[in-house]
Amino acid sequence: IPTSSSLDRMGDDGAVISGDGRMLAAAAIGHDTAAFNDVGCVYVWEWDDINFEYALKQQLLPRADQVAKASYQFGYTPPSLSDNGTTLVVSAPYDDTTSVNAGALYVWRLNSSNLYYQHQLLTSPDSQSGTQIGVGGTRVSGDGRWIAGGTHTYDTYGRSDVG
């Protein structure tokens, strides 16, 4: 188990496992960094065929230049893994990249060293404040080619919070 406190809230909303059972991921939205409280992080474990257990593989954090406030809550909803675990999607509904609390989805991919790297940052196409993309969950298809992020605060057609 990673070094954390009960305030990290690791796995509060559950964990996710890849379709092949090799990767396991859980968010800790209360994880603090040196700069801010409740930035959040995601822990990833990989199945160890020799010891027949999951071993901590990596701790994923948003890049420091992408976090400009406390209560960022990276990993607000359980992350999503592709079937083979090569693509991982993490929500950050309080991301301010495009506008205040518009939210973002972080797409992580495994590299040739078998470590996750931040491949892409997906934001709401209309940059609407308060959209909080990812607050309603994230999903990645089995092959890792399709990604969806839910929101329940999107405003459209003159109506508020239609999602």
Side-chain angles (χ1 to χ4, degrees), residues 7-121:
L7 300 177
D8 280 0
R9 299 176 51 198
M10 184 172 63
D12 260 10
D13 287 330
V16 64
I17 192 165
S18 60
D20 63 8
R22 298 211 48 87
M23 299 291 191
L24 173 71
I29 63 171
H31 178 79
D32 298 337
T33 64
F36 299 108
N37 292 334
D38 298 337
V39 169
C41 71
V42 170
Y43 293 103
V44 180
W45 294 266
E46 185 173 25
W47 181 253
D48 180 342
D49 288 326
I50 295 170
N51 295 312
F52 299 103
E53 65 184 14
Y54 284 97
L56 182 63
K57 177 181 187 62
Q58 204 170 350
Q59 179 189 36
L60 306 177
L61 292 157
R63 290 193 330 245
D65 65 323
Q66 293 171 324
V67 178
K69 66 179 181 180
S71 299
Y72 191 77
Q73 296 187 355
F74 179 75
Y76 183 82
T77 57
S80 184
L81 279 164
S82 61
D83 284 348
N84 63 4
T86 58
T87 303
L88 175 100
V89 179
V90 179
S91 68
Y94 300 105
D95 178 89
D96 294 338
T97 299
T98 57
S99 64
V100 176
N101 292 338
L105 302 178
Y106 286 75
V107 180
W108 299 78
R109 295 262 166 93
L110 280 177
N111 62 20
S112 59
S113 299
N114 202 33
L115 292 173
Y116 285 99
Y117 70 97
Q118 186 182 324
H119 173 73
Q120 193 172 7
L121 182 69

